């Protein structure tokens, strides 16, 4: 059986003064993915979505081999990633932001509303409760915080200590306050359809934070995946990909699930 992400091919694009790496698979409508604080992490959900979409998982500058000391905030990173999408020849596409990448994805959608067909926020940390701590880089702590059932999941692959430290410094610089008043001030005017997905057992960001996104955006939908932690795409990839694909295909007509057993075993 092919491994996770085996269908994805690596590519590079020059954009906004950076050489940006990406992983791509599939045909169909383009779906641009902006990763979380751990960098590009292909999951079974990526493989499932690539059956219906052209999935492009970008590695944001500073999360890979090259250091990024230039990007100062999430708005600037969103500008860079929009330039990367344009450099790939993308005209209109969907955007998905995971955890840390969700705030960048929101700014992306605000800045590029005419190009973004729909926005998916996967366990977003764009809005956090006061005192919410980032996930530690140590593999055992990483797994404990990310999963509802770490005993069922494969071991977290080790990360080079220098790369982990560089990523941590970049995330600290870009993470921003728990509530970004500038972002929240413009979200009510966002006309892009939005889907917010949380695992019901997320201990990194309380799932009830999803209600705030609904209150801020006129076209936001909220879905909870049963018995999943923060890493929904790893623990419940079938449920996650079904919800997302249905939403991207049908927007407001989408159903939470076509098959009860996918969401509620």
């Amino acid at each position: 059986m092919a491994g996770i992400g085996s269908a994805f091919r690596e590519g590079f694009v020059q954009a906004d003064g950076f050489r940006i790496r990406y992983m791509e698979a599939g045909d169909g409508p383009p779906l641009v993915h902006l990763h979380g604080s751990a960098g590009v992490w292909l999951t079974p959900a990526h493989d499932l979505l690539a059956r219906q979409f052209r999935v492009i998982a970008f590695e944001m500058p500073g999360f890979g081999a090259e250091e990024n000391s230039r990007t100062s905030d999430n708005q600037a990173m969103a500008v860079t990633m929009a330039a990367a999408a344009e450099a790939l020849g993308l005209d209109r596409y969907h955007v998905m932001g995971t955890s840390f990448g969700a705030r960048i994805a929101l700014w992306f959608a605000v800045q590029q509303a005419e190009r973004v067909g729909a926005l998916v926020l996967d366990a977003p940390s764009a809005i956090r409760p006061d005192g919410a701590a980032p996930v530690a880089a140590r593999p055992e702590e990483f797994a404990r915080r990310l999963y509802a059932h770490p005993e069922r999941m494969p071991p977290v692959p080790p990360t080079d200590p220098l790369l982990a430290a560089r990523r941590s410094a970049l995330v600290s610089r870009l993470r921003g306050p728990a509530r970004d008043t500038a972002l929240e001030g413009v979200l009510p005017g966002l006309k892009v359809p939005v889907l917010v997905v949380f695992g019901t057992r997320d201990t990194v960001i309380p799932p009830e934070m999803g209600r705030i996104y609904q209150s801020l955006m006129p076209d936001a939908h909220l879905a909870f995946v049963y018995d999943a932690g923060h890493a929904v795409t790893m623990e419940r990839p079938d449920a996650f990909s079904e919800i997302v694909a249905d939403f991207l295909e049908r927007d407001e007509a989408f159903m939470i699930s076509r098959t009860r057993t996918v969401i509620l075993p």
Side-chain angles (χ1 to χ4, degrees):
M1 180 181 291
I4 295 173
S6 60
F8 281 74
R9 65 173 182 84
E10 182 182 58
F12 293 87
V13 65
Q14 292 290 142
D16 197 24
F18 295 102
R19 183 173 186 258
I20 298 175
R21 176 176 171 261
Y22 65 90
M23 303 296 291
E24 178 180 356
D27 297 311
L31 173 59
V32 168
H33 180 225
L34 303 180
H35 57 73
S37 61
V40 174
W41 187 12
L42 295 179
T43 72
H46 286 89
D47 292 327
L48 292 170
L49 288 169
R51 295 177 182 177
Q52 297 172 251
F53 302 93
R54 178 189 174 191
V55 179
I56 301 160
F58 280 116
E59 183 175 71
M60 292 185 279
F63 285 88
E66 297 181 5
E67 189 172 0
N68 175 7
S69 59
R70 175 158 65 88
T71 304
S72 58
D73 55 32
N74 292 288
Q75 291 153 283
M77 184 65 85
V79 169
T80 296
M81 301 320 297
E86 185 176 0
L88 273 180
L90 303 181
D91 180 47
R92 188 163 175 81
Y93 42 85
H94 306 304
V95 174
M96 180 169 73
T98 293
S99 191
F100 163 81
R103 186 175 287 185
I104 298 167
L106 279 164
W107 276 117
F108 191 124
V110 168
Q111 297 167 358
Q112 304 291 329
E114 72 286 354
R115 294 183 181 274
V116 176
L119 174 65
V120 176
L121 303 178
D122 163 27
S125 62
I127 298 172
R128 307 185 300 271
D130 290 334
V135 179
R138 297 185 303 277
E140 63 280 2
E141 173 68 7
F142 191 74
R144 187 184 68 79
R145 294 287 306 282
L146 286 188
Y147 302 130
H149 298 282
E151 72 281 359
R152 301 177 186 172
M153 305 306 296
V156 176
T159 303
D160 176 81
L162 290 177
L163 176 57
R166 202 165 66 230
R167 284 177 178 170
S168 179
L170 179 59
V171 169
S172 296
R173 188 167 84 240
L174 299 183
R175 192 166 182 254
R179 302 291 297 266
D180 184 340
T181 55
L183 176 61
E184 292 186 28
V186 297
L187 288 184
L190 183 63
K191 305 303 183 184
V192 174
V194 181
L195 173 65
V196 182
V197 183
F198 273 102
T200 58
R201 298 184 60 184
D202 192 331
T203 61
V204 177
I205 303 294
E208 56 266 27
M209 302 301 286
R211 305 292 181 192
I212 302 176
Y213 294 92
Q214 277 191 308
S215 70
L216 287 170
M217 291 179 283
D219 198 6
H221 309 273
L222 178 60
F224 297 101
V225 176
Y226 176 76
D227 202 29
H230 193 63
V232 185
T233 58
M234 282 293 290
E235 284 200 290
R236 302 292 313 282
D238 290 338
F240 179 86
S241 59
E242 182 187 28
I243 295 168
V244 170
D246 201 38
F247 172 73
L248 295 180
E249 287 176 349
R250 297 195 288 160
D251 186 15
E252 292 187 358
F254 90 106
M255 297 186 298
I256 294 302
S257 176
R258 292 188 178 96
T259 307
R260 179 177 174 79
T261 53
V262 172
I263 305 298
L264 300 173

